[in-house]
Amino acid sequence: MDLMGMMGKLKETQQKIEDTKKRLDTVLIDEESADGLLKITITASRKVKSVSIDDSLLEDKEQLEDYLIVTLNKAIEKATSVNERELDAVAKMDMPMIPGMDNLFK
């Protein structure tokens, strides 16, 4: 087994993962409440970019809080899925096969 080659491959993979993380900062996920009164945009890195609240939601604090919780959680789930799928793809594609470590990225 070529240890130096594997180390080089690991560094290359690490750089690709970092590049993918930076790219995920630019991937936008849009989510909205079922009635469209609340809209949220977050990045695939799970950073909130924008929140749009219909004026009718401003009249009821509890309702607005419920809308925010539900809609943010949906957006975060979507972003997490995209994030994990992208990073897993990079790691699996470029990782050298090291005996005994084949289950590490499943």
Side-chain angles (χ1 to χ4, degrees):
M1 196 179 307
D2 177 15
L3 190 57
M4 291 306 287
M6 276 195 336
M7 293 304 289
K9 189 74 167 164
L10 285 170
K11 280 189 181 245
E12 183 181 315
T13 299
Q14 190 174 26
Q15 183 59 51
K16 286 183 180 180
I17 288 172
E18 290 305 313
D19 292 345
T20 300
K21 284 180 180 178
K22 286 179 187 168
R23 186 176 57 78
L24 289 171
D25 282 337
T26 67
V27 174
L28 299 178
I29 311 288
D30 294 314
E31 186 61 54
E32 65 180 61
S33 59
D35 57 11
L37 297 179
L38 176 69
K39 297 176 183 169
I40 294 175
T41 300
I42 67 172
T43 67
S45 299
R46 298 173 295 267
K47 292 183 178 113
V48 177
K49 295 306 253 182
S50 71
V51 176
S52 173
I53 302 170
D54 188 270
D55 289 342
S56 65
L57 290 176
L58 299 177
E59 298 165 12
D60 185 344
K61 181 178 182 272
E62 280 187 34
Q63 182 185 18
L64 176 56
E65 289 169 347
D66 290 343
Y67 269 67
L68 283 166
I69 290 168
V70 169
T71 309
L72 276 168
N73 281 333
K74 282 187 200 173
I76 291 167
E77 283 178 33
K78 284 183 180 178
T80 299
S81 176
V82 169
N83 189 296
E84 289 175 353
R85 193 170 51 242
E86 292 290 320
L87 290 175
D88 285 351
V90 171
K92 286 179 182 175
M93 176 177 61
D94 289 327
M95 281 304 251
M97 283 298 117
I98 301 170
M101 295 187 77
D102 50 340
N103 290 325
L104 192 60
F105 297 103
K106 288 186 179 176

